[in-house]
Amino acid sequence: MTIDEIQDELIADFSFFDDWMAKYEYIIQLGRELPLIDDQFKQDAYLIKGCQSKVWLHADHQAGQVVFTADSDAIITKGLVALMVKVLSGHTAREIVESDLYFIDQIGLQEHLSPTRANGLLSMVKQMKLYAAALNANV
């Protein structure tokens, strides 16, 4: 699936929920399903700057695609990073760098997060695109 197809699927998934409590539960569930990052990457060098909670992110280049793994010490934040991994992982560096992540606004995520979580989400997006850009430059 393309990045846009995954975003469209997430928009459809979120449209099934009537209120934001149910949407938060879905985000938490996504966090529970997130494949765990290897413990060797749970160190300061892999922390995303700008997140109130601790969020570790690792990018690997496998068969021409960027594969992200992540974890967080907070359940909502872990769900948010799981959303981003679901959308961006498994695509080429160029696709990630050039992606327009419209699903964030379309599902209303930006307006339903606290300012610190919203800033953290933007930091996640920025870091993932930076990793992809760096991997793209090395290819």
Side-chain angles (χ1 to χ4, degrees):
M1 292 178 75
T2 68
I3 290 174
D4 286 353
E5 288 169 340
I6 295 168
Q7 290 186 92
D8 293 342
E9 187 177 84
L10 280 171
I11 292 166
D13 289 349
F14 273 84
S15 72
F16 286 113
F17 301 107
D18 295 328
D19 61 34
W20 264 93
M21 287 310 294
K23 291 178 183 184
Y24 281 127
E25 286 298 320
Y26 180 61
I27 291 169
I28 291 168
Q29 183 60 39
L30 288 172
R32 288 187 184 120
E33 296 169 2
L34 181 68
L36 290 182
I37 193 169
D38 191 296
D39 281 342
Q40 70 177 327
F41 302 118
K42 287 182 86 172
Q43 49 186 297
D44 289 351
Y46 297 94
L47 281 172
I48 296 177
K49 310 291 186 266
C51 287
Q52 183 178 4
S53 306
K54 288 188 176 185
V55 181
W56 297 272
L57 178 69
H58 177 257
D60 194 18
H61 202 247
Q62 300 174 5
Q65 297 179 329
V66 181
V67 177
F68 292 103
T69 54
D71 197 5
S72 177
D73 64 350
I75 58 171
I76 295 280
T77 307
K78 186 171 181 172
L80 295 175
V81 77
L83 270 173
M84 297 312 307
V85 167
K86 181 178 182 85
V87 172
L88 296 177
S89 191
H91 298 281
T92 68
R94 169 170 259 133
E95 289 169 330
I96 293 166
V97 170
E98 294 176 354
S99 64
D100 170 25
L101 299 175
Y102 57 84
F103 85 99
I104 294 170
D105 288 330
Q106 295 229 357
I107 64 175
L109 195 54
Q110 192 77 18
E111 63 198 56
H112 285 92
L113 293 175
S114 67
T116 54
R117 280 209 179 105
N119 286 338
L121 179 62
L122 292 175
S123 295
M124 288 176 205
V125 171
K126 181 179 176 184
Q127 188 63 48
M128 292 174 98
K129 288 192 172 210
L130 283 172
Y131 275 147
L135 289 169
N136 193 42
N138 290 331
V139 175

